[in-house]
């Protein structure tokens, strides 16, 4: 084992970053969101989704300021560490890990469910494990190859969603979408409001993890230009696709048959073209690209977060080792995969609140995301006051109103999630307490970590020297 100043390679251009930003999220258009119909109905969930889309738009335009000012592999961890010190970094880092480590097993199970439609004899869990092994290997091979693959599958996924909307359009009926659309009722009433709030985690799933592109900032070419373009283009793309897919699927037939399942799009298309149609088989095959894009991209995201936290002494230092040939954080990639595969095999063993494990994993991942969004917006306000001279290639438009809007809406989402998911909220808090205990027991790791100017504010990001990391 040796020490070197060779870190993550800068190989990512603007289109690749857009592919990562959209690809991280696009599986949310394929599955997960339909659980929201079970809570709020189609019409109620549409209002919830529009509320969440507004929150994400305000958040991304604000978050981009942090990403371009502090282009660090730790993303939100780095912003909070710089703004609020070591403990602030712990909270943001823990929340981001919850989001990015718990999302992949849900997506892997959805990949298994999609392939099971085509090959009923295949076990969805073993398909999910195979997906982990394949895409962990691809991420280890190199970021340039991984990002190019991500762009290709993202473009195919976008194309497939457009094909889905085109195929079901001839059978679309608005009355199908609106029937029982207010939590089972045909008209709005106060009784529908509770379901709309309960559905917030599943609306967030439409956009969850777009901020993960920030964790590729150290590997981006000219991040001050490429990252804003990737984020802004990404949020616009995803908003159009999310609303289009949701409306067209709901109008295809009895939408109640699509709630609480992992493959709503093939089942919606089956209502229009039948189970023997070539269109259906094409959707199953090409639809996998959307799930693969998110699965592969989030593996990239969680590995960079684990790597950054280990490099800073928040996780065991051996996780900060970079592969000597591929210059990728291979140990961090494998560590997150072990956790994900364990979650996959717990699918039939764990139910919380009467919901299947997939729904609970989605909700737990969303808990992490919302906490991270809140800490990130607080970091933005703090750094504006604390470091007014920090180079900010992109500044949040409408400051302070836009970041304040994102912060307030995120707080509403968090309060709603705690109210409707008490057990998972308690699990999240207990897990954070355990992480805090580990933090205080391992202060020597942080004391021994290499000095990182981006975390401590000792230098502007552009002036930051290369960090010493271990490779073997």
């Amino acid at each position: 084992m040796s020490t070197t100043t060779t870190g993550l390679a800068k190989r990512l251009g603007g289109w690749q970053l857009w592919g990562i930003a959209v690809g991280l999220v696009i599986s949310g258009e394929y599955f997960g969101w339909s659980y929201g119909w079970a809570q709020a109905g189609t019409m109620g969930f549409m209002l919830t989704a529009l509320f969440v889309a507004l929150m994400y738009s305000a958040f991304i335009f604000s978050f981009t300021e942090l990403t371009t000012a502090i282009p660090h592999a730790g993303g939100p961890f780095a912003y909070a560490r710089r703004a609020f010190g070591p403990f602030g970094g712990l909270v943001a880092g823990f929340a981001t890990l919850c989001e990015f480590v718990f999302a992949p097993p849900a997506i892997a199970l959805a990949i298994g469910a999609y392939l099971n439609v085509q090959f009923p004899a295949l076990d969805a869990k073993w398909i999910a494990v195979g997906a982990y092994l394949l895409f962990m290997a691809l991420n280890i091979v190199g970021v340039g190859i991984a990002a190019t693959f991500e762009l290709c599958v993202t473009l195919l996924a976008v194309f497939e969603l457009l094909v889905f909307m085109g195929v079901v359009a001839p059978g679309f009926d608005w009355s199908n979408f609106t029937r029982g659309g207010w939590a089972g009722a045909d008209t709005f009433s106060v009784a529908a409001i509770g379901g709309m709030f309960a559905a917030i985690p599943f609306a967030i799933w439409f956009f969850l993890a777009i901020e993960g592109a920030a964790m590729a900032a150290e590997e981006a070419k000219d991040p001050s230009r490429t990252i804003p373009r990737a984020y802004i283009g990404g949020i616009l793309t995803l908003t159009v696709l999310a609303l289009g897919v949701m409306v067209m699927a709901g109008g295809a037939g009895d939408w109640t048959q699509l709630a609480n399942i992992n493959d709503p799009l093939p089942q919606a298309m089956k209502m229009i073209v039948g189970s023997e149609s070539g269109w259906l088989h094409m959707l199953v095959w090409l639809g996998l690209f959307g799930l693969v894009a998110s699965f592969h991209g989030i593996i990239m995201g969680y590995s960079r977060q684990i790597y950054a936290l280990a490099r800073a002494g928040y996780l065991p230092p051996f996780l900060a080792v970079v592969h000597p040939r591929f210059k990728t954080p291979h140990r961090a990639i494998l560590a997150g995969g072990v956790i994900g595969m364990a979650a996959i095999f717990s699918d039939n063993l764990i139910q919380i609140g009467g919901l299947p494990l997939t729904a609970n994993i989605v909700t737990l991942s969303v808990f992490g995301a919302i906490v991270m969004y809140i800490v990130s917006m607080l970091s933005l306000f703090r750094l504006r006051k604390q470091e007014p001279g920090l180079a900010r290639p992109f500044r949040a438009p409408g400051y302070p109103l836009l970041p304040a809007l994102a912060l307030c809406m995120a707080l509403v989402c968090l309060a709603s999630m705690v109210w409707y998911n008490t057990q998972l909220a308690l699990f999240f808090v207990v897990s954070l307490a355990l992480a805090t205990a580990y933090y205080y027991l391992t202060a020597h790791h942080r004391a021994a970590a290499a000095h990182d100017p981006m975390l401590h504010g000792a230098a502007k990001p552009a002036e930051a020297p290369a960090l010493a990391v271990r490779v073997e």
Side-chain angles (χ1 to χ4, degrees):
M1 189 178 294
S2 61
T3 300
T4 179
T5 56
T6 301
L8 301 173
K10 290 184 176 293
R11 295 174 179 166
L12 304 182
W15 273 106
Q16 289 171 310
L17 287 169
W18 175 88
I20 292 171
V22 175
L24 281 164
V25 184
I26 202 165
S27 68
E29 273 69 8
Y30 284 83
F31 86 106
W33 54 267
S34 61
Y35 292 110
W37 280 353
Q39 303 288 336
T42 49
M43 295 298 291
F45 186 64
M46 176 179 281
L47 289 185
T48 301
L50 289 171
F51 173 85
V52 168
L54 176 60
M55 180 191 76
Y56 265 92
S57 298
F59 171 75
I60 284 299
F61 274 95
S62 305
F63 189 75
T64 302
E65 176 177 315
L66 293 168
T67 306
T68 54
I70 308 173
H72 191 279
F77 154 72
Y79 319 146
R81 172 65 180 81
R82 185 152 173 166
F84 296 109
F87 191 77
L90 169 70
V91 174
F94 171 81
T96 307
L97 276 183
C98 274
E99 177 185 4
F100 280 82
V101 171
F102 285 110
I107 300 171
L109 285 169
I111 291 173
Y114 265 68
L115 278 177
N116 185 257
V117 172
Q118 194 74 16
F119 303 107
L122 292 179
D123 188 319
K125 291 180 182 178
W126 285 108
I127 296 173
V129 170
Y132 258 106
L133 296 176
L134 175 62
F135 293 109
M136 285 192 300
L138 183 58
N139 268 276
I140 290 171
V141 166
V143 69
I145 295 172
T148 300
F149 174 82
E150 181 77 355
L151 175 60
C152 291
V153 294
T154 297
L155 289 171
L156 286 168
V158 171
F159 170 74
E160 175 56 20
L161 291 174
L162 296 175
V163 169
F164 165 78
M165 288 185 269
V167 170
V168 301
F172 175 85
D173 190 331
W174 181 247
S175 65
N176 288 335
F177 186 82
T178 58
R179 187 178 300 115
W182 298 101
D186 291 334
T187 57
F188 173 78
S189 68
V190 175
I193 295 177
M196 292 162 62
F197 279 100
I200 282 177
F202 308 109
I204 289 173
W205 189 248
F206 270 134
F207 305 97
L208 184 78
I210 186 174
E211 69 282 353
M215 284 169 258
E218 283 188 35
E219 298 157 279
K221 301 172 185 175
D222 192 11
S224 64
R225 291 170 59 85
T226 54
I227 288 175
R229 293 174 181 175
Y231 270 145
I232 294 168
I235 194 65
L236 293 175
T237 302
L238 291 164
T239 299
V240 171
L241 291 174
L243 295 176
V245 166
M246 177 175 58
V247 170
M248 298 307 295
D254 181 5
W255 61 264
T256 62
Q257 301 301 310
L258 306 178
N260 284 329
I261 61 174
N262 280 338
D263 54 341
L265 300 194
Q267 300 304 326
M269 185 178 282
K270 191 183 295 185
M271 294 176 178
I272 301 296
V273 299
S275 59
E276 302 301 321
S277 170
W279 287 112
L280 176 64
H281 294 295
M282 184 198 72
L283 179 75
V284 171
W285 284 112
L286 292 184
L288 283 172
F289 287 116
L291 301 176
V292 164
S294 290
F295 183 67
H296 173 256
I298 295 177
I299 288 176
M300 186 185 300
Y302 80 58
S303 65
R304 271 55 179 181
Q305 185 67 195
I306 292 173
Y307 164 78
L309 288 168
R311 186 175 65 181
Y314 286 74
L315 289 175
F318 76 88
L319 293 172
V321 172
V322 173
H323 195 282
R325 177 180 176 186
F326 303 123
K327 302 299 183 287
T328 52
H330 59 300
R331 290 187 178 179
I333 291 169
L334 295 172
V338 169
I339 296 171
M341 286 185 276
I344 286 169
F345 284 105
S346 301
D347 186 35
N348 292 332
L349 302 176
I350 300 173
Q351 279 202 353
I352 301 175
L355 292 175
L357 181 65
T358 302
N360 284 303
I361 287 176
V362 167
T363 304
L364 189 60
S365 181
V366 172
F367 262 115
I370 290 295
V371 171
M372 183 270 286
Y373 299 160
I374 292 168
V375 174
S376 294
M377 291 300 95
L378 293 173
S379 298
L380 175 62
F381 285 113
R382 174 81 168 175
L383 288 171
R384 277 287 189 110
K385 181 179 181 180
Q386 185 173 282
E387 297 190 51
L390 177 67
R392 293 175 170 86
F394 181 94
R395 298 177 74 87
Y399 181 90
L401 295 180
L402 199 67
L405 176 64
L407 176 60
C408 291
M409 296 179 83
L411 288 168
V412 170
C413 290
L414 180 62
S416 174
M417 289 178 60
V418 170
W419 180 262
Y420 288 100
N421 301 277
T422 308
Q423 290 176 295
L424 282 177
L426 181 60
F427 178 83
F428 183 87
V429 171
V430 170
S431 299
L432 178 57
L434 293 174
T436 302
Y438 175 84
Y439 167 84
Y440 283 112
L441 290 171
T442 57
H444 57 286
H445 286 162
R446 291 184 297 284
H451 179 74
D452 186 341
M454 286 196 207
L455 298 183
H456 297 86
K460 293 181 181 179
E463 300 166 348
L467 293 169
V469 296
R470 298 191 306 175
V471 300
E472 63 175 24

